[in-house]
Amino acid sequence: MRPTTSAEQTKPGVQEYKVPLNANQARVEAARCLFCDDAPCVKACPTSIDVPQFIRKITTGNLWGSARTILQANVLGRSCARVCPVEELCVGDCVLNEDGRAPIQIGRLQRFATDYAFARGWRYAEAGPASGRSVALVGGGPASLAAAHQLRIFGHSCTIYEKRSRLGGLNASGIAPYKMTDEIAMEEVDWVLGIGGIEVRTGIEVGCDISLEELEQDHDAIFIGAGLGADTLLTDLPGSELGGIEGAVDFIERAKSGCVDLRRVKRALVIGGGNTALDAVRLLVRILPPGGDVRLLYRGDAAVMPGYAHELAAARVEGVGMHWHTQPVAFLGEIDEESGQPRIHALRCTRTDDRKRPIPGTEHTLACDLVILAIGQSPAVARIASTPGLEFVGGCLRVDATGATGRPGVFAGGDCVNGGTEVVQAVKEGMRAAVTIDEYLKGVER
Amino acid sequence: MKPDLTANCAGIVSPNPFWLASAPPTNTGEQVMRAFEAGWGGAVWKTLGQPIQNVTSRFGALRHPAARTIGFNNIELITDRSLEVNFREIAAVKKRFPERAVVVSLMFETEAEWKDAIERSIDAGADGLELNFGCPHGMCERGMGSAVGQEPKINERITSWVSALSSIPVIVKLTPNVHDIRPHGLAAQRGGADGVSLINTVKSIIGVDIDRLIPQPIVGDLGTNGGYCGPAVKPIALHMLAALSRDERFHLPLSGIGGISNWRDAVEFLLLGASCVQVCTEVMLHGYRVVEDMLDGLEGYMREHQFYTLEDFVGRAVAACSDWGDLDLNHELVARIDADQCIGCYDCVVACADGGHQCIARAPDGAPRVPQVDEEECVGCNLCEIVCPVPGCITMTAIDNGFAPASWNDHLTHGARLRPKKGSHG
């Protein structure tokens, strides 16, 4: 019988939950596609990948063309194949659902084609003739990578300023490892940079190490794709300084790099109702010691939570407990025997009503030795918030439909604009802004 | 280096070898323009003649259980639009897409009609003419189409009229409804044609409505034979293409037609000597957009094989086309099953037992469900490999039997020694 493991599944505890297709499985699955015209799956994709075309090409063995169709529409199509919530996008809109049949596994087919292309080092775009113009990109996540790649096709030189030590943004650090390994994200970064002419300056935070105005002097246009900032923490609750209380994005990143010690964690609580909270619980059930108990606390319920229904259903199957209409009021600690430091050992909570307001007299205590806060991230653009012409709404940088901010020559896209959503949306906004920037540069005198 | 897909068939140059065949997808200028926008390299205009009246319905399909059409049948005739409109649209298409090949398909009765249509085609800017000597339904009852293509003398005569009158390349489209294609290709060559295209559709009845007791497609209360095309006719087309490519007397460029659905099919036609291909059924079923896979699929194939132009591989499989009598009878294959890949369906066991030579057994009770091949009896027919649902699981493996290569012709002419037969079970 054939083995079903892949190289990416070898790390203990973080096996990929979506197993890759082999060549025969991919061909057979692709042959089920109806090759719809004006296809709903294409309309559901923010980057409008021509899904029926790339799938047809798998049936004919034209993997060179299949990956081209994907990667020309979405330069991060390889990681999107893994991290896209396809159940909410292309797969959810597959017409086969209407017939009561299983929808085409578009994400897995996209992964098959793009993995094949990457294994062979295929590239589809070349940098255009040098325009003599340069663009600064603030932040090195999906939006900036997509924008830079497209700007290079237009011939503009690019410099990415990234405050961290490496590129990739949340797509590298913030994706739960059972969805995508670090290696995949970094290979993709290298593939994007392979177009040439993209200078990378890491360890530089714009607004801190260098000002936006200085960038404007050095470059002809600026793209802000700075993403989101640190996890929001409940610092106003009693006991928030205790050990064992962590932000979810930070926790996922450290778990990916193997920097968390969970040996003595028996009960973990994750607070929040979004997709980061669901990522955190699903990661915890995989990496806690055997017998570990993982629960989700949310002040609303399944019907109103912003996290995806398919992720919630998967978390339930994986054994995650749910505390609906519950919110924390205090962290209770005790001295940890091993470290001698105060550490969380219980969470004081209250029940909430249908409007998420606390119900008096419903306070209760839940035992725990780890609390993960997945209640949002702060805006990352705070340091440039006072720049004239930049406008913010609810912490999000405002842009028009073309990706232009109110400040001439400054454009933006990705999480810092949309408040945090799918990688594929950031790619779309980055590519859209690149087109706008190209038009802007053509219209500006040297 | 990026492969160059430019094609040149009978002096008609197109940016790629994918032409639309003369059929419903080339009925109007608006359609051909959309096809060219989608990337098609050329188009052979829906056959012009004295406009006809069509019937309903016109099409029939042979379906695979997975609801895919594998064979297609039509009883539609040539253009039903006026010649004036057609020529006006041909001129408009050429004006907007000067680098694409526009070939006009023609079918007329009298020399005067042919002369008029040829002149008007050239005036409209056509790159070539294709003479429809192949249509096997309707038009042949009026003495045209396959009625011409089945008679080499008539073929040659009309071809020579046209060639004398035409200043642009002339391609003769042949019917497969003949027992040997070669005399018909040679007739076109004698008539002065610049190239030959093949095949037109195969005379057929696609099916019978078993409740109404009428052959399909049904027109009122009657049915008639039509022209069969689509993936199912590809093997017939490949054989006829190879037969002309192999014939030392035949020297004309070839345009391949018949069941081409994707780039792989196209490569097969090119390898057997076609310098361009024509597509109809796949476009009728799925639209002009199918050319995208044909274009980058062909490009990917050329990159992989380091072919930089079509000339690098057109005709490269012709030399390996042989006669049965020259095949090596001592070449010995046996089936080997990869236990790691086997999924235990036993499709090979039943196929070998009932349609093969009874040399694949089920696994013993309690053992993993992997079939056992008796290599001493395996005749190497490869039926098991064909029925296996896992490509690569069953491999036909050559074994060294110590016998020098020997064909039947070698055996007859000088008594070459043949290996003992297998699979007769005593």
Side-chain angles (χ1 to χ4, degrees), chain B residues 116-150:
Chain B
D116 174 63
I118 293 163
E119 284 170 359
R120 290 165 80 181
S121 298
I122 295 170
D123 288 347
D127 297 289
L129 304 175
E130 186 180 77
L131 314 189
N132 183 341
F133 294 169
C135 191
H137 51 270
M139 304 311 288
C140 56
E141 296 173 15
R142 308 179 195 180
M144 291 181 277
S146 63
V148 176
Q150 287 167 329

Side-chain angles (χ1 to χ4, degrees), chain B residues 23-25 27 46 52 54-55 57-59 73-80 135 137-139 226-227 284:
Chain B
N27 194 40
K46 169 95 174 166
I52 53 73
N54 268 312
V55 294
S57 57
R58 304 176 199 177
F59 302 130
N73 170 282
N74 87 88
I75 56 170
E76 185 171 302
L77 303 181
I78 62 172
T79 191
D80 57 6
C135 191
H137 51 270
M139 304 311 288
M284 291 190 62

Side-chain angles (χ1 to χ4, degrees), chain A residues 2 25 30 155 171 176-177 195 215 258 267 293 302 326 329 365 391 435:
Chain A
R2 49 181 49 208
Q25 292 164 339
N171 196 39
I195 195 169
L215 287 188
R267 281 178 294 258
D293 181 78
T326 305
V329 294
T365 303
E391 212 183 319
V435 172

Side-chain angles (χ1 to χ4, degrees), chain A residues 115-412:
Chain A
D115 280 358
Y116 195 94
F118 268 62
R120 280 149 191 81
W122 289 337
R123 302 195 60 85
Y124 301 100
E126 287 175 17
S131 67
R133 302 302 186 89
S134 86
V135 180
L137 299 106
V138 180
S144 285
L145 289 170
H149 190 265
Q150 191 61 45
L151 287 164
R152 290 299 299 133
I153 292 172
F154 293 139
H156 310 306
S157 68
C158 293
T159 306
I160 295 177
Y161 296 86
E162 166 59 52
K163 66 181 175 186
R164 291 162 169 271
S165 60
R166 61 173 199 172
L167 301 185
L170 265 194
N171 196 39
S173 65
I175 301 289
Y178 63 89
K179 288 188 175 169
M180 183 170 71
T181 62
D182 220 32
E183 291 78 16
I184 298 292
M186 297 322 289
E187 276 176 28
E188 195 172 50
V189 168
D190 289 342
W191 189 84
V192 171
L193 296 180
I195 195 169
I198 302 175
E199 189 187 344
V200 177
R201 300 186 63 188
T202 52
I204 296 181
E205 183 170 6
V206 175
C208 179
D209 304 306
I210 185 168
S211 70
L212 202 64
E213 289 79 0
E214 284 174 282
L215 287 188
E216 286 175 327
Q217 283 165 20
D218 294 346
H219 301 278
D220 301 296
I222 294 176
F223 175 77
I224 300 175
L228 295 174
D231 291 297
T232 305
L233 302 175
L234 294 169
T235 49
D236 51 341
L237 294 194
S240 66
E241 73 291 345
L242 291 168
I245 304 172
E246 307 196 36
V249 173
D250 184 49
F251 176 77
I252 290 170
E253 177 173 11
R254 292 192 302 112
K256 281 187 98 166
S257 53
C259 297
V260 293
D261 180 2
L262 300 170
R263 281 173 301 172
R264 293 185 303 125
V265 174
K266 294 190 180 67
R267 281 178 294 258
L269 297 177
V270 175
I271 297 168
N275 286 310
T276 306
L278 290 168
D279 277 358
V281 290
R282 297 192 64 195
L283 174 60
L284 280 164
V285 293
R286 287 166 167 79
I287 62 177
L288 279 193
D293 181 78
V294 181
R295 299 182 187 197
L296 183 81
L297 258 73
Y298 180 51
R299 58 200 174 111
D301 59 22
V304 300
M305 72 187 290
Y308 294 126
H310 69 274
E311 291 279 352
L312 174 63
R316 280 185 154 140
V317 169
E318 289 162 0
V320 175
M322 308 293 165
H323 291 267
W324 302 125
H325 287 291
T326 305
Q327 79 175 45
V329 294
F331 303 101
L332 309 180
E334 62 184 15
I335 299 299
D336 179 48
E337 286 171 15
E338 192 168 293
S339 66
Q341 300 295 316
R343 185 181 168 92
I344 183 127
H345 84 112
L347 188 67
R348 191 76 182 148
C349 304
T350 177
R351 302 278 295 164
T352 58
D353 64 15
D354 287 346
R355 292 178 169 186
K356 301 179 185 171
R357 293 172 307 198
I359 302 173
T362 60
E363 286 201 7
H364 57 287
T365 303
L366 296 173
C368 61
D369 30 36
L370 178 67
V371 170
I372 304 294
L373 298 171
I375 54 174
Q377 292 170 262
S378 66
V381 286
R383 292 186 187 278
I384 53 169
S386 59
T387 310
L390 297 188
E391 212 183 319
F392 293 83
V393 176
C396 296
L397 182 51
R398 253 185 89 166
V399 297
D400 65 14
T402 71
T405 71
R407 189 173 171 91
V410 180
F411 307 81

Side-chain angles (χ1 to χ4, degrees), chain A residues 1-3 24 27 31-37 50 53 56-57 60-62 64-65 68-69, chain B residues 68 261-264 282 286 289-290 292-293 296-297 299-300 303 339-342 389-391:
Chain A
M1 295 289 158
R2 49 181 49 208
N24 191 40
R27 188 180 52 76
R32 296 175 56 232
C33 174
L34 300 182
F35 197 45
C36 297
D37 181 36
D50 191 340
Q53 264 309 349
R56 178 184 177 88
K57 293 176 185 180
T60 72
N62 175 13
W64 191 80
R68 174 156 85 173
T69 298
Chain B
R68 298 299 169 113
S261 306
N262 56 55
W263 67 271
R264 280 182 182 278
E282 192 67 2
H286 300 297
R289 62 195 169 138
V290 300
E292 185 178 317
D293 169 54
D296 57 20
E299 186 182 337
R303 284 175 184 270
D340 288 341
Q341 294 193 60
C342 177
V390 183

